[in-house]
Amino acid sequence: MPKIHDLYVGKVVLGTVLLTWAVLLGLDVMLGFVTEFSDVGEGNYGLLQAVTVMALSVPRRAYTLFPHAAVIGSLMALGQLAASSELTALRALGLSRRRLSLSVAAALALLTGLMVINGETLGPAGQRRADSLKASAKSKNMIVAQYSGLWAREGNVILNANGGQEREKDGDRWLELRDVFLYEFSDDGRLKSTATVGQAEHRPGGWLLRNVTRIHFTDRSVHETHVGEERWNSKLDAVALTAGLEKPRYLTAGQLHDATNYRLRNNLDASELQEHYWGRWFYPINALALCLAAIPFAFGTLRSGSMGKRLFIGIIFALSFWLLQTQFVRLAGVFKFDYRVAYLLPTLIMLGVSAALFKRRSG
């Protein structure tokens, strides 16, 4: 059970982190709106649409900015407690630096959990809605631009679609592609058939193809067939189709997993998707590790330097964690080693340094 000093430290940390978070988010939204304002007037994209797009992107922006706000806010909170001698009083009561750090981590864990949920629900959904709204407003025909000129591969079949959009009716949503061409190859690379499809719909049970004209190629003949409707049993789905066109960081972990399996199944490069997929799993670990790695700089005697100096060094130390991990992730993409190692190793290094600093600092 948390004690009164844990609740007090947690309250101060949460309040400071939320204030820092609001400031960073406000600045990010304002800068984003300046960028959006340059597109106002294109097609039907007006000021109201720009404001709506920015509002829909707020959950995604909050998710991205949270680790930075957590580091700065937690250090500012401890600095506030130290400046008012409350940190010294808590230490005099017998609370160790480790116990105080756990109080900070417990408070941050609550916000981190909410951000993990946000990163899988409101963040991606809001960003997709914002992108769809912007594309629809800027385009005279209501076709979502991200599906134009789409190419995809499923086994020995290559798909090309010239247009399409997501549809919804009575709570059901499906992907509809138009002017579709299917190219089927044999195992030795020879063209077996081509198909012109007027409309392809991806439903829960698979693909429904309408107005299909197929040309079959054999060693000695070519013949044509036409059917009004046929089923296409393919594992290719809407997530796999759009993963190469949407930014992977805007997809949920489930969508990243499905898109990664699709690419690996078809011997395609999935490194970018794997990078973001494992980044989602390590997000809560990284957010807490960033804070724990910097917290030792908030402790110490007055002889060790001003609190402002220690906070500045702590923030630089925490940001170096992000730079180190970014480099490891890039190296994983270049040298093809496991992304889990790339995300975990910098965390262990920085936490090891943090633990050593805890032992050396007095106070």
Side-chain angles (χ1 to χ4, degrees):
M1 290 292 294
K3 297 184 178 180
I4 187 170
H5 52 73
D6 295 317
L7 296 176
Y8 179 72
V9 172
K11 178 182 177 181
V12 174
V13 170
L14 287 177
T16 310
V17 169
L18 289 174
L19 179 60
T20 305
W21 199 5
V23 172
L24 293 177
L25 183 59
L27 291 173
D28 188 52
V29 169
M30 286 196 308
L31 292 174
F33 185 76
V34 171
T35 302
E36 289 296 321
F37 193 75
S38 62
D39 293 330
V40 172
E42 185 175 345
N44 295 322
Y45 192 63
L47 184 61
L48 178 60
Q49 285 76 14
V51 172
T52 304
V53 166
M54 290 308 303
L56 289 170
S57 70
V58 166
R60 190 267 304 171
R61 295 174 184 273
Y63 177 86
T64 303
L65 290 172
F66 172 71
H68 308 289
V71 174
I72 298 173
S74 59
L75 289 174
M76 289 180 63
L78 290 176
Q80 175 184 335
L81 292 174
S84 60
S85 299
E86 292 174 286
L87 191 61
T88 303
L90 290 172
R91 293 295 313 282
L93 290 174
L95 297 178
S96 65
R97 295 186 296 271
R98 180 176 299 176
R99 178 56 186 268
L100 289 171
S101 298
L102 290 176
S103 299
V104 173
L108 293 175
L110 175 63
L111 292 178
T112 303
L114 293 176
M115 278 300 98
V116 170
I117 297 174
N118 173 54
E120 295 299 306
T121 54
L122 294 178
Q127 189 62 52
R128 285 197 303 271
R129 178 59 180 163
D131 293 341
S132 176
L133 175 63
K134 184 175 181 179
S136 299
K138 292 173 65 176
S139 177
K140 293 182 180 179
N141 54 25
M142 296 297 288
I143 295 175
V144 178
Q146 66 180 1
Y147 297 116
S148 179
L150 175 65
W151 289 87
R153 174 186 171 188
E154 172 63 24
N156 291 335
V157 178
I158 295 178
L159 176 147
N160 171 239
N162 291 324
Q165 63 187 130
E166 286 184 325
R167 291 191 176 277
E168 183 173 1
K169 183 178 181 181
D170 298 330
D172 295 330
R173 297 184 63 182
W174 68 92
L175 175 64
E176 179 183 287
L177 301 178
R178 292 189 293 277
D179 298 329
V180 178
F181 299 92
L182 298 176
Y183 305 91
E184 183 180 5
F185 294 85
S186 61
D187 293 335
D188 58 3
R190 295 183 180 182
L191 183 63
K192 291 179 60 177
S193 68
T194 63
T196 303
V197 182
Q199 181 177 300
E201 299 177 1
H202 180 262
R203 301 281 186 168
W207 286 90
L208 178 62
L209 308 181
R210 302 181 189 276
N211 298 324
V212 182
T213 300
R214 192 181 303 274
I215 300 176
H216 303 268
F217 300 93
T218 63
D219 293 337
R220 297 184 179 182
S221 65
V222 176
H223 64 277
E224 179 180 294
T225 59
H226 177 81
V227 294
E229 185 176 291
E230 72 173 47
R231 292 282 180 178
W232 179 31
N233 295 321
S234 172
K235 295 181 180 180
L236 189 66
D237 58 12
V239 173
L241 286 172
T242 59
L245 300 172
E246 292 185 10
K247 295 180 180 179
R249 65 176 179 271
Y250 296 162
L251 299 176
T252 66
Q255 291 172 330
L256 288 168
H257 181 266
D258 293 340
T260 298
N261 286 342
Y262 158 73
R263 291 198 178 185
L264 294 177
R265 190 169 65 244
N266 291 281
N267 298 318
L268 301 174
D269 180 29
S271 58
E272 185 179 11
L273 295 170
Q274 290 175 321
E275 172 188 339
H276 288 87
Y277 174 71
W278 289 114
R280 291 300 181 87
W281 280 98
F282 280 90
Y283 177 89
I285 299 175
N286 291 341
L288 294 176
L290 275 167
C291 299
L292 292 175
I295 282 176
F297 292 97
F299 296 101
T301 64
L302 294 177
R303 296 188 299 273
S304 65
S306 67
M307 177 57 64
K309 179 180 178 180
R310 292 200 300 273
L311 289 178
F312 175 76
I313 295 175
I315 292 172
I316 296 300
F317 183 80
L319 291 179
S320 67
F321 166 85
W322 178 79
L323 293 174
L324 179 64
Q325 188 174 76
T326 299
Q327 294 304 314
F328 269 84
V329 170
R330 295 293 180 266
L331 289 174
V334 173
F335 295 103
K336 307 300 180 184
F337 62 86
D338 199 320
Y339 279 101
R340 286 170 288 188
V341 176
Y343 279 108
L344 182 60
L345 191 57
T347 302
L348 294 179
I349 292 174
M350 297 300 266
L351 288 179
V353 174
S354 177
L357 289 173
F358 261 103
K359 292 180 180 180
R360 292 183 57 183
R361 289 197 174 272
S362 61

